[in-house]
Amino acid sequence: MKSQNLIKAARKFCEPYRVTDGRKFRLKDVDPDDTQDLKSEDKPRAKKALRNGVEALAELQGKLYAQDRWSLLLVFQAMDAAGKDGTIKHVMSGVNPQGCQVSSFKAPTSEDLDHDYLWRCQKCLPERGRIGIFNRSYYEETLVVRVHPEFLAGQKLPETCVTKHIWNERFKDIRAFERYLTRNGTIVRKFFLHVSKEEQKRRFLERIELPEKNWKFSSNDAKERGFWDDYMAAYEETIRETATEDSPWYVVPANNKWFTRVVVAAAVIDALASLDLHYPKVSDAKLKELAAAKKMLIEGN
């Protein structure tokens, strides 16, 4: 009963940030500072909710692994310093490492560029029974590559393939790819951690000023801030064009990390709960085998 109540609460909590039909979506309608009705003094309550969510995730993931039919792909996209790494770390902290795999996608290698843009991500798709996490993904192809057209020129595409409709063509291909995954038992949930430009600046300065965080900062991060408006436009159109009922986006306010993590945990719980997971039913023959083994263990030395 406790798990069922938590699942219902999780669905209600994450629903405001779920985008399944992008036609009316506008990024400006999502406040990066939003924490629903929670205030800063509610942080302890939010952290407790996260701990409960992590426990529920561990239980659901155990069933996912044992049933070995479905898989779950979580895609995380965000501007630098929005908190992707920390969110993944905290939300998935209770999940069995055997059933979870994280893949980070940085600049493509020469081998990647010798293939289609989905190739390097397809290699990392989760097996049945497992949760796959993409820290950045094939969506970089409609985000950073769109903001920096020189990256597209480096992909060695035939000239006839680089049409004036290339971005719409990529949106169409991605929708088809995610529909294919869903039809084959891999459900997809996508998260855009929406941090404000002001909060990103504060976090960048913190990384520079605190020695233990210096390693997190790159001068290129600051340069990319100059393209902020271009990125916001690219994110908005990407979400509008690729949000579907089967593969929704969650546009999560990210100025308050404690709140971001609770929303993401709630969305993952809701996704797994939608699969009606259960442990495999044991056959009568197997039950007899277990009974015989139990008897042998009890009567033996």
Side-chain angles (χ1 to χ4, degrees), residues 68-172:
D68 197 27
R69 288 292 182 271
W70 296 93
S71 58
L72 172 63
L73 175 62
L74 306 176
V75 174
F76 287 87
Q77 295 287 158
M79 296 295 285
D80 293 315
K84 295 191 308 302
D85 292 348
T87 298
I88 293 168
K89 174 184 175 181
H90 284 81
V91 172
M92 308 307 292
S93 60
V95 172
N96 185 338
Q98 285 185 304
C100 183
Q101 53 211 52
V102 181
S103 303
S104 296
F105 298 97
K106 301 185 184 299
T109 65
S110 58
E111 182 182 20
D112 294 333
L113 294 173
D114 276 334
H115 293 82
D116 64 273
Y117 69 86
L118 285 173
W119 178 78
R120 64 175 181 159
C121 294
Q122 286 178 309
K123 294 190 301 177
C124 299
L125 289 171
E127 304 167 39
R128 297 195 189 282
R130 289 168 171 78
I131 298 173
I133 298 172
F134 283 1
N135 188 340
R136 302 193 188 278
S137 67
Y138 43 86
Y139 279 106
E140 293 296 286
E141 297 297 326
T142 64
L143 297 167
V144 66
V145 176
R146 190 169 189 178
V147 172
H148 295 284
E150 64 272 20
F151 294 163
L152 181 63
Q155 293 186 349
K156 299 188 288 185
L157 288 167
E159 289 184 11
T160 55
C161 294
V162 185
T163 72
K164 63 180 180 180
H165 304 296
I166 189 168
W167 307 117
N168 286 331
E169 290 165 356
R170 288 194 169 185
F171 292 141
K172 184 177 180 180

Side-chain angles (χ1 to χ4, degrees), residues 98-246:
Q98 285 185 304
C100 183
Q101 53 211 52
V102 181
S103 303
S104 296
F105 298 97
K106 301 185 184 299
T109 65
S110 58
E111 182 182 20
D112 294 333
L113 294 173
D114 276 334
H115 293 82
D116 64 273
Y117 69 86
L118 285 173
W119 178 78
R120 64 175 181 159
C121 294
Q122 286 178 309
K123 294 190 301 177
C124 299
L125 289 171
E127 304 167 39
R128 297 195 189 282
R130 289 168 171 78
I131 298 173
I133 298 172
F134 283 1
N135 188 340
R136 302 193 188 278
S137 67
Y138 43 86
Y139 279 106
E140 293 296 286
E141 297 297 326
T142 64
L143 297 167
V144 66
V145 176
R146 190 169 189 178
V147 172
H148 295 284
E150 64 272 20
F151 294 163
L152 181 63
Q155 293 186 349
K156 299 188 288 185
L157 288 167
E159 289 184 11
T160 55
C161 294
V162 185
T163 72
K164 63 180 180 180
H165 304 296
I166 189 168
W167 307 117
N168 286 331
E169 290 165 356
R170 288 194 169 185
F171 292 141
K172 184 177 180 180
D173 291 340
I174 288 172
R175 289 195 302 268
F177 175 62
E178 291 177 347
R179 184 167 59 247
Y180 166 81
L181 292 179
T182 301
R183 287 174 175 171
N184 284 274
T186 297
I187 64 170
V188 184
R189 296 294 183 268
K190 304 166 293 194
F191 299 90
F192 172 53
L193 306 190
H194 186 28
V195 70
S196 68
K197 192 175 184 180
E198 294 74 19
E199 176 63 14
Q200 187 199 55
K201 179 180 179 179
R202 187 193 70 76
R203 293 180 187 180
F204 278 170
L205 288 172
E206 183 179 63
R207 290 180 178 185
I208 293 171
E209 293 166 359
L210 297 179
E212 65 272 22
K213 293 190 176 184
N214 287 170
W215 64 275
K216 288 186 174 183
F217 187 77
S218 164
S219 58
N220 189 60
D221 295 341
K223 291 178 183 178
E224 288 299 286
R225 277 175 60 80
F227 299 95
W228 184 274
D229 291 343
D230 294 330
Y231 273 111
M232 292 302 102
Y235 267 112
E236 179 173 279
E237 186 167 10
T238 291
I239 293 167
R240 289 177 61 184
E241 292 293 333
T242 60
T244 66
E245 189 68 39
D246 289 331

Side-chain angles (χ1 to χ4, degrees), residues 274-293:
S274 71
L275 302 179
D276 189 27
L277 300 170
H278 53 81
Y279 290 108
K281 186 177 180 180
V282 178
S283 66
D284 291 340
K286 183 67 175 180
L287 289 173
K288 290 180 180 178
E289 181 184 330
L290 293 173

Side-chain angles (χ1 to χ4, degrees), residues 52-63:
N52 291 337
V54 168
E55 290 178 8
L57 274 179
E59 180 183 341
L60 288 165
Q61 187 254 340
K63 293 179 181 179

